Amino acid sequence: MLLTVSGPPGSGKSTTAAALADEFGIEHVSGGDIFRSLADERGYSLAEFNELAEEDDQIDRDLDRRLQTIARERDDIVLESRLSGWLAADEADVRIWLDAPLHVRAVRIADREDKSVEQAKRETEEREASERERYLDYYDIDIADLSIYDLSINTARWDEATVFDLLVESVEGYDTASDEGKLQITADYEF
């Protein structure tokens, strides 16, 4: 089984992906963790490293290549990143998109990163705009196109436990033999 969990910052991707991995006894691979560790290794804050990635496209391309390789070569994982649904392409069994309104996500980010809500909101808007441009430029991916996702959930509408239960029930109910609607995605990106 290969599940992908995608969404903007503060939507609950990491928490949900980790919980799904635990529930199904599979590995959780986080693009955000990989990106943050690369920033730490090079002595940059996340915001600084994101800015550097705007100038050095190889940072994103290396990360995305690694995520795509994991999707192609490994089984029984929850792959979590903004582009995991796109990068996993046809390898994914279930593609999940999580979202929440910006003001809700800013509060969540401010709480976890110990910063003001205003700062979290500003940084999140800047980050999302930057990533949107880069994905279009690099791969011709419109991150706002949710048509590839099997499930899209506004995590501000339900509590964490209910979101988790909805996803578990959906994944448990997935049967490849009766799947008539799997969207075919070609992932021939140049890294």
Side-chain angles (χ1 to χ4, degrees), residues 3 16-29 77-78 164:
L3 307 176
T16 303
L20 288 170
D22 286 345
E23 175 71 17
F24 293 110
I26 59 180
E27 185 180 359
H28 171 213
V29 177
I77 61 172
V78 176
F164 177 73

Side-chain angles (χ1 to χ4, degrees), residues 35 39 44-57 59-60 122-123 126-127 130-131 134 138:
F35 192 82
Y44 291 100
S45 71
L46 185 58
E48 291 169 335
F49 200 57
N50 203 50
E51 284 181 34
L52 182 62
E54 288 181 37
E55 299 168 12
D56 182 359
D57 66 351
I59 292 170
D60 283 331
R122 184 180 63 255
E123 289 175 357
E126 290 170 2
R127 180 178 174 189
S130 169
E131 290 174 344
R134 292 195 323 256
Y138 299 166

Side-chain angles (χ1 to χ4, degrees), residues 41-159:
E41 289 169 14
R42 297 177 186 182
Y44 291 100
S45 71
L46 185 58
E48 291 169 335
F49 200 57
N50 203 50
E51 284 181 34
L52 182 62
E54 288 181 37
E55 299 168 12
D56 182 359
D57 66 351
Q58 201 55 51
I59 292 170
D60 283 331
R61 292 176 189 276
D62 289 345
L63 172 63
D64 296 339
R65 180 184 312 108
R66 186 182 306 181
L67 290 167
Q68 187 177 61
T69 299
I70 289 168
R72 287 181 173 169
E73 295 179 355
R74 294 169 54 189
D75 291 320
D76 295 330
I77 61 172
V78 176
L79 189 62
E80 172 227 333
S81 81
R82 203 99 57 250
L83 291 180
S84 64
W86 292 94
L87 296 172
D90 290 342
E91 302 298 327
D93 292 302
V94 178
R95 294 182 203 95
I96 299 164
W97 179 264
L98 302 178
D99 205 347
L102 177 60
H103 69 276
V104 172
R105 295 185 293 113
V107 169
R108 292 173 180 173
I109 293 167
D111 185 49
R112 93 173 164 226
E113 296 180 8
D114 194 29
K115 58 178 70 170
S116 73
V117 173
E118 295 78 23
Q119 179 182 0
K121 182 179 178 188
R122 184 180 63 255
E123 289 175 357
T124 300
E125 287 176 317
E126 290 170 2
R127 180 178 174 189
E128 289 177 0
S130 169
E131 290 174 344
R132 187 177 315 115
E133 287 180 34
R134 292 195 323 256
Y135 302 150
L136 276 170
D137 183 46
Y138 299 166
Y139 313 124
D140 198 30
I141 291 174
D142 178 2
I143 196 70
D145 176 5
L146 304 183
S147 65
I148 68 159
Y149 296 97
D150 302 303
L151 301 166
S152 177
I153 297 178
N154 177 346
T155 62
R157 300 291 309 270
W158 295 276
D159 64 24

